[in-house]
Amino acid sequence: MSDWMPHVPALVLVVVLLWAPGLALQLVLRDVRPLFPLAAPAYGLAVIGTAGIVLDLLDVGFSLLTLGVLTLALWALAGVVGLLARRARGPAGGTRPGTAAAAADRTGMFGLPPVTVYRGAVVLGLLLGAALLVRRLLFVVQEPGRFAQRYDNVFHLNAVRYVVDTASASSLTLGRMVDPDKAVAIYPAVWHGLAGLAYPLAEQSPMVAGNVVLFVVAALVWPASCLFLTRTLVGPSPVALVVAGVASAGFAVLPFSVLEFGPLLPNLLGLSVAPVALAHLATLLGLDAGSRAGRARRPPARLVHLGLCCLVVTGGAMLAHPNVGTLLLVLLVPMVLTAWWGALRRAVASRQGGRTALVVLLLPLSAAAWTYLWDSLGNDFIRFAHTTPAAAYGEALLYATNGRQDVPWFLVLLTVLGVGATLARRELRWLGVAQLLVVSLYVVAASAPTGPWREWAVGSWYQDSFRLAASLPVVAVPLIALGATALADLLRRGAEAAVAPERRTLRVRRLVAGGTAVLLVAASVPLTQVRTMRDTLLDTRARFSWDTPDGILTEDERDLLERLPRLTDEDDLILVNPWNGGSLAYAVAGSRVTQYHIGGPERARMPEVVAGLTADEPARACRTARSEGIDFVLDFGRQYLEPDPPGARPYVPIDTLGETPEASFDLVASEGDAELWEVTAC
């Protein structure tokens, strides 16, 4: 734990970067619904993602200064909007957000004021979720400078350095790192922009900066979003809010599975605020707890305002990763059908033919718009099935996806109770259907044969079951919160039944209600944490360890990379093999390399370059070195990300320089088996 203390300022900076612009934009838009500060990071991502694009188009550097100026401008605008709103409203004022529903009753559990219980539940739920997630992340990551030694991190870590070096965090141009000739090279850049801003306070290390962002996003933004969604859908139930916070830390599939598999860092960032976008959509469609409680009919201006807020938070989530947009489209299906059916019933009851016809027409129009958006977010990247449909359904329903043995049985039980609670409440049935749709899409990705149907259904997720598995908790958390309220009610009734009728005073009933709620909350922590994700945590921890059989870097290789600034000049170009970690010379040392990721257009010509540079004739090696501008070669041996990957075979001649030294090279430095060779053929 002491290793992390020097990085507390960087952690605080990332929290401020997510919350300060977000809160400012919320105040500008006057979006101050219950628990609105917990939704601020979704607005913050919208600000950061948009700023990265706009500043790049204006040829202005993306930095703490420029983002700070933009944030201050938003705060100033928020102040003006607030002043105008107060003048328009007059001195009457109103009830503060988040307390109206809780204040309906004047006494609550243990005789405490409901507002006190409600606020305490929010704080406790957030603290428990954050603490449990931090504990797990500390176990997994181990040290600030470690990283998940997986395929995607070759790109992510280099991209953080690229953001710092170019002062650009535009999602329209981040892909230029691997394809500099493209005018538009789209890749979601918000994660890398955040890490780039934290870089100066994170030992100027992309690894440390990435871990700082990881801790804030996974351990704070995600549980905050879960509490916000639960409050929106379930209402101000203290039990639901605390259990939602605990449940957010109880899934192996998020965040740990995406770290072990990918790491899918932009996906993790987008999913961390997906509950906020879902909550806003539910409010817009009148499916939130406030609307169900009989709130007055909303005027068109209010609907326009809610729609604008939806666009902002959804846009922020999609700037983090477009997969969130497709997930929301899936969840919209039962939501829109529920809202449409309610509107149709009201239109028929009003006996206004024109209104009824308009409502009927809305359904095919919505279906057409949905289909257009769905098709536009797909792609043809192929991953293959790994199991049968029956097994896939079992995996998804037990949150033990992709063949894992970790089953959070208590969360499964609460999910079942939550689905039962939705069946008993017609206005919430869409929530259970939404979860079933996500489960079914996982089944398609995990078990369906390759073909047009599979591509259309799960193409947006690269036909990848890991990405879809990580989406399961978004809807599961409010279902689990509903299940917890149902279980608490069952326990309360059982406890009350055990008390003699003549002793069931109001005070006793309050004590029983409070006691059963406290018992359930206290039990939820060990029941969701103890041995529920042991194998996943061990597997993920192994990915963050040095000297793993299929890792990217060994400690010796990292040490040699850290020496590169003293061994090479700034303009020198190093020939590397991305399959054994050589590309990370850029992330670690800022050195120019021939490939910044395993993919990319330059890989097509690598066999010719390697063959020319390692040719027996020094003259040919000299010509290749001059034409390509190569000055040094990194030999990191034949430990690759995968056992004998075909893509690594063209690099074998430079991965074995130490075994058969060539006359065209001189050994400059080494750390263990890791070697740096200078091209001396010329």
Side-chain angles (χ1 to χ4, degrees):
M1 185 67 181
S2 59
D3 293 340
W4 293 89
M5 294 307 294
H7 306 298
V8 170
L11 288 163
V12 173
L13 174 63
V14 175
V15 172
V16 172
L17 288 172
L18 285 168
W19 257 270
L23 285 170
L25 186 54
Q26 282 179 302
L27 295 176
V28 168
L29 296 175
R30 306 300 296 164
D31 185 16
V32 287
R33 65 191 73 194
L35 299 188
F36 75 93
L38 299 184
Y43 283 88
L45 294 184
V47 175
I48 295 168
T50 303
I53 294 172
V54 172
L55 290 173
D56 184 69
L57 292 174
L58 297 175
D59 200 21
V60 176
F62 179 81
S63 66
L64 286 173
L65 177 61
T66 52
L67 186 61
V69 169
L70 178 60
T71 302
L72 289 175
L74 281 173
W75 277 106
L77 182 58
V80 172
V81 170
L83 179 62
L84 294 175
R86 283 193 296 273
R87 287 182 176 177
R89 187 171 58 239
T95 307
R96 284 188 293 176
T99 63
D105 240 344
R106 294 301 173 191
T107 54
M109 291 186 297
F110 301 117
L112 295 172
V115 171
T116 301
V117 176
Y118 167 72
R119 290 173 176 169
V122 172
V123 173
L124 181 60
L126 185 59
L127 288 179
L128 283 174
L132 293 170
L133 282 162
V134 166
R135 175 174 173 267
R136 297 298 198 193
L137 287 168
L138 287 172
F139 172 79
V140 164
V141 180
Q142 305 167 61
E143 297 172 356
R146 299 199 182 202
F147 62 98
Q149 303 226 17
R150 301 296 286 155
Y151 183 101
D152 294 63
N153 243 349
V154 177
F155 179 89
H156 294 317
L157 294 173
N158 279 341
V160 174
R161 171 76 72 166
Y162 183 81
V163 167
V164 173
D165 287 351
T166 62
S168 171
S170 172
S171 296
L172 300 181
T173 59
L174 183 62
R176 287 182 188 167
M177 182 183 74
V178 296
D179 196 353
D181 295 330
K182 274 193 173 182
V184 177
I186 295 175
Y187 195 91
V190 182
W191 174 281
H192 313 92
L194 275 169
L197 293 174
Y199 177 87
L201 294 181
E203 294 184 355
Q204 296 189 354
S205 163
M207 289 73 170
V208 177
N211 284 331
V212 166
V213 176
L214 170 63
F215 270 71
V216 174
V217 169
L220 191 57
V221 175
W222 164 243
S225 298
C226 288
L227 262 70
F228 182 79
L229 175 60
T230 300
R231 170 61 182 88
T232 300
L233 298 182
V234 181
S237 165
V239 171
L241 290 167
V242 178
V243 172
V246 174
S248 70
F251 296 96
V253 293
L254 189 73
F256 306 105
S257 180
V258 298
L259 296 177
E260 188 271 335
F261 172 70
L264 309 176
L265 301 176
N267 285 78
L268 174 59
L269 181 60
L271 288 172
S272 72
V273 296
V276 175
L278 179 58
H280 279 69
L281 287 170
T283 305
L284 175 64
L285 294 171
L287 303 176
D288 59 305
S291 298
R292 297 197 310 270
R295 185 177 294 167
R297 198 172 173 183
R298 296 171 296 182
R302 172 64 174 158
L303 291 176
V304 171
H305 174 255
L306 291 173
L308 177 60
C309 294
C310 275
L311 284 175
V312 172
V313 296
T314 303
M318 290 185 67
L319 282 170
H321 201 285
N323 278 171
V324 178
T326 322
L327 175 63
L328 293 174
L329 283 176
V330 173
L331 304 180
L332 267 175
V333 171
M335 296 172 72
V336 168
L337 287 175
T338 300
W340 176 82
W341 181 249
L344 181 61
R345 292 175 60 191
R346 291 190 296 271
V348 171
S350 69
R351 298 183 180 179
Q352 298 179 18
R355 181 181 173 189
T356 302
L358 178 60
V359 172
V360 170
L361 183 61
L362 283 175
L363 188 61
L365 291 176
S366 299
W370 187 94
T371 304
Y372 174 79
L373 291 172
W374 183 269
D375 290 340
S376 66
L377 291 172
N379 66 70
D380 57 359
F381 191 92
I382 297 177
R383 289 188 182 273
F384 300 100
H386 69 269
T387 189
T388 64
Y393 270 112
E395 289 179 351
L397 293 172
L398 296 178
Y399 307 121
T401 56
N402 300 101
R404 300 185 182 279
Q405 301 302 311
D406 298 323
V407 179
W409 289 109
F410 188 61
L411 295 184
V412 173
L413 170 64
L414 292 182
T415 304
V416 172
L417 292 174
V419 172
T422 64
L423 293 176
R425 300 164 66 177
R426 184 174 59 190
E427 70 278 5
L428 283 174
R429 288 176 188 169
W430 68 267
L431 196 57
V433 176
Q435 184 70 349
L436 180 60
L437 287 174
V438 181
V439 167
S440 299
L441 286 175
Y442 170 82
V443 172
V444 172
S447 64
T450 303
W453 157 246
R454 175 188 174 90
E455 181 180 328
W456 182 84
V458 294
S460 177
W461 290 273
Y462 311 106
Q463 305 186 40
D464 177 21
S465 57
F466 280 90
R467 287 170 170 83
L468 275 158
S471 303
L472 290 168
V474 173
V475 180
V477 169
L479 278 174
I480 287 166
L482 272 173
T485 60
L487 182 57
D489 191 48
L490 287 173
L491 293 174
R492 178 187 59 78
R493 291 180 184 179
E496 284 185 358
V499 178
E502 65 274 9
R503 301 187 62 183
R504 294 178 198 167
T505 63
L506 180 60
R507 184 178 177 218
V508 169
R509 288 200 299 271
R510 288 173 182 164
L511 288 173
V512 168
T516 53
V518 170
L519 176 65
L520 176 59
V521 167
S524 69
V525 175
L527 289 175
T528 60
Q529 299 295 311
V530 177
R531 300 189 68 83
T532 58
M533 58 181 91
R534 178 177 178 274
D535 292 342
T536 299
L537 291 172
L538 290 174
D539 290 344
T540 310
R541 179 183 172 91
R543 298 301 185 190
F544 279 83
S545 299
W546 298 112
D547 302 323
T548 57
D550 55 352
I552 303 176
L553 290 181
T554 65
E555 286 190 276
D556 287 338
E557 291 166 352
R558 179 207 53 189
D559 292 342
L560 180 58
L561 293 183
E562 290 177 345
R563 293 173 57 192
L564 287 181
R566 301 190 298 273
L567 300 171
T568 64
D569 293 331
E570 184 178 347
D571 294 333
D572 286 337
L573 179 64
I574 304 175
L575 176 63
V576 298
N577 178 359
W579 284 97
N580 63 13
S583 292
L584 290 177
Y586 179 60
V588 175
S591 301
R592 295 174 62 231
V593 294
T594 49
Q595 276 183 268
Y596 292 86
H597 188 35
I598 294 171
E602 58 277 278
R603 66 179 173 176
R605 60 184 179 84
M606 280 299 112
E608 181 181 344
V609 172
V610 171
L613 199 65
T614 56
D616 292 334
E617 311 89 15
R620 183 184 174 192
C622 181
R623 288 195 302 271
T624 302
R626 283 178 172 172
S627 64
E628 301 294 335
I630 295 171
D631 303 289
F632 292 88
V633 177
L634 275 175
D635 175 3
F636 279 0
R638 300 184 66 179
Q639 176 183 309
Y640 302 133
L641 271 171
E642 301 172 6
D644 192 27
R649 291 172 191 165
Y651 302 89
V652 169
I654 68 169
D655 294 338
T656 55
L657 285 180
E659 300 173 16
T660 55
E662 301 278 354
S664 302
F665 306 93
D666 282 345
L667 182 64
V668 176
S670 65
E671 291 283 350
D673 294 331
E675 299 170 337
L676 175 68
W677 295 80
E678 184 176 8
V679 181
T680 57
C682 301

